[in-house]
Amino acid sequence: MTRKSAAAAVHGMSDETWKRHANPWSVWTRFAAIPAFELAVWSRQWLGWWCLAAVLAVVVWLWLNVHLFKPVEPTSWAARGIYGEQLHVDGKVPAEHKTTLNWLIASGLAGFALIA
């Protein structure tokens, strides 16, 4: 089992769950979790160890998020992006898209490093 499929298994990513994950409301609320997570980490100066409760709340939200919204078909750009993510996890990305995918992963890792 690869790391990608292991992460998908932790979230219980069935075909139905991928359709829920692709809902634009699910996508946008996950984007909103990024500043919430950053604020939770930054709040360690004010809250001390209690900041971990805020971090845990964001992590729990991100886990629940993929199960809460109604399933959708790939009609919006957000849904198509998530279905592309499913192809990536399943190892079915077409060869002509792998270079672009690698650049996206590298830029995401660079952004994460900057946040860290």
Side-chain angles (χ1 to χ4, degrees):
M1 178 177 281
T2 66
R3 286 178 288 165
K4 293 179 288 194
S5 57
V10 167
H11 285 283
M13 297 303 285
S14 64
D15 284 338
E16 177 73 12
T17 308
W18 277 108
K19 288 180 179 181
R20 291 176 181 277
H21 186 49
N23 187 308
W25 281 100
S26 176
V27 172
W28 287 110
T29 55
R30 282 193 314 277
F31 277 134
I34 295 169
F37 182 78
E38 291 174 0
L39 182 62
V41 171
W42 192 40
S43 71
R44 75 187 185 287
Q45 295 294 321
W46 312 316
L47 303 176
W49 286 103
W50 283 103
C51 74
L52 295 178
V55 169
L56 181 62
V58 172
V59 170
V60 167
W61 166 249
L62 289 172
W63 186 85
L64 282 174
N65 181 287
V66 298
H67 304 285
L68 294 178
F69 297 94
K70 69 177 183 159
V72 297
E73 295 300 320
T75 54
S76 69
W77 71 267
R80 287 182 289 195
I82 297 303
Y83 284 109
E85 179 185 357
Q86 183 181 16
L87 288 175
H88 173 61
V89 169
D90 293 343
K92 297 178 183 175
V93 175
E96 61 269 16
H97 296 296
K98 288 193 180 204
T99 301
T100 303
L101 178 62
N102 289 334
W103 277 105
L104 289 170
I105 291 169
S107 64
L109 288 172
F112 180 76
L114 290 171
I115 289 171

